[in-house]
Amino acid sequence: LGVALRGGADSTALLLACARRWPGQVRAFLVHHGLQAAADGFEAHCRAVCAELNVPLSARRVDARHASGESPEDAARRARYASLAELARQASVHDIALGHHADDQAETILLALSRGAGLSGLAAMPARARRDGLNYHRPFLHLAGAGIRTWLRGQGVAWIDDPSNGDARYTRNRIRGVLLPALEQVFPQYRSTFARSAGHAAQAQVLLVEL
């Protein structure tokens, strides 16, 4: 099993859980996007965590800068998945676990709504998907980010907070910093209800394709 590791709380918790569940059968994959100087520190931290857990780490550096008129988030995402596919191929790995959680899913749904997306967009991130010949798994989609961080602190394992997460130039960061706290106040169960709506949209999309 490959685990996409970036050094943040979610991917670190995922690596720790998988390494404990399947000792000796897990490999970490790290993609260095080359977008910020702090990324060198992320890689050093990830190597230290993997050494502590006795998990082999495969890393790849890419230039994920976006072209003029292109979304920086989309450019980074495409570079990341292409790199994960290459790392998996080199390691003969067919399954990769991703640390996306319920807050990430809510952000994705809100982004889709803001763009007027159809069913496929509103379905957001699936718990399981196949891409580039690989099986991707998102086991944390039902967990809140705060709960993951609380658990990780209880394990005594450190993580890195990406400084770019506070950059208000990125739409997803504005959603995280402004909209999600407001939703928490008005609709405390929004994570589970959003996830349920995404599931309905995914089922409807499957039926639409069959029709």
Side-chain angles (χ1 to χ4, degrees):
L1 175 67
V3 174
L5 180 65
R6 300 182 68 183
D10 45 5
S11 65
T12 300
L14 181 61
L15 180 67
L16 177 59
C18 289
R20 287 179 175 175
R21 177 64 179 83
W22 299 287
Q25 302 179 60
V26 176
R27 173 180 292 272
F29 293 144
L30 171 69
V31 180
H32 188 307
H33 293 80
L35 297 176
Q36 52 179 320
D40 289 342
F42 301 166
E43 181 172 345
H45 172 78
C46 289
R47 290 191 181 280
V49 169
C50 288
E52 179 71 22
L53 297 176
N54 197 29
V55 171
L57 172 69
S58 297
R60 191 175 189 211
R61 296 195 174 207
V62 297
D63 183 355
R65 289 176 294 182
H66 64 288
S68 177
E70 184 181 25
S71 164
E73 293 101 326
D74 288 342
R77 182 165 51 250
R78 285 196 301 273
R80 180 163 59 255
Y81 278 107
S83 296
L84 287 174
E86 178 61 22
L87 290 170
R89 184 192 64 79
Q90 293 173 358
S92 297
V93 167
H94 302 288
D95 292 83
I96 297 179
L98 305 171
H100 297 124
H101 49 67
D103 300 67
D104 299 321
Q105 186 76 313
E107 293 165 11
T108 301
I109 293 170
L110 288 169
L111 279 170
L113 284 169
S114 73
R115 295 165 179 163
L119 289 175
S120 59
L122 296 175
M125 295 182 290
R128 290 171 298 279
R130 188 161 179 83
R131 177 175 181 164
D132 299 325
L134 297 170
N135 300 310
Y136 284 94
H137 308 269
R138 296 182 174 93
F140 283 177
L141 282 184
H142 65 293
L143 300 176
I148 293 173
R149 290 188 292 274
T150 297
W151 179 81
L152 202 53
R153 278 192 290 268
Q155 306 305 305
V157 177
W159 68 87
I160 288 179
D161 287 317
D162 189 336
S164 69
N165 287 340
D167 191 339
R169 291 177 298 174
Y170 299 116
T171 304
R172 187 177 284 271
N173 288 344
R174 295 198 298 274
I175 290 174
R176 184 178 304 137
V178 179
L179 287 184
L180 295 192
L183 283 169
E184 186 80 56
Q185 290 293 321
V186 181
F187 304 112
Q189 302 302 318
Y190 77 89
R191 294 177 182 86
S192 59
T193 56
F194 276 28
R196 190 159 62 246
S197 291
H200 293 326
Q203 291 175 347
Q205 178 64 23
V206 169
L207 293 174
L208 184 60
V209 169
E210 290 180 358
L211 179 62

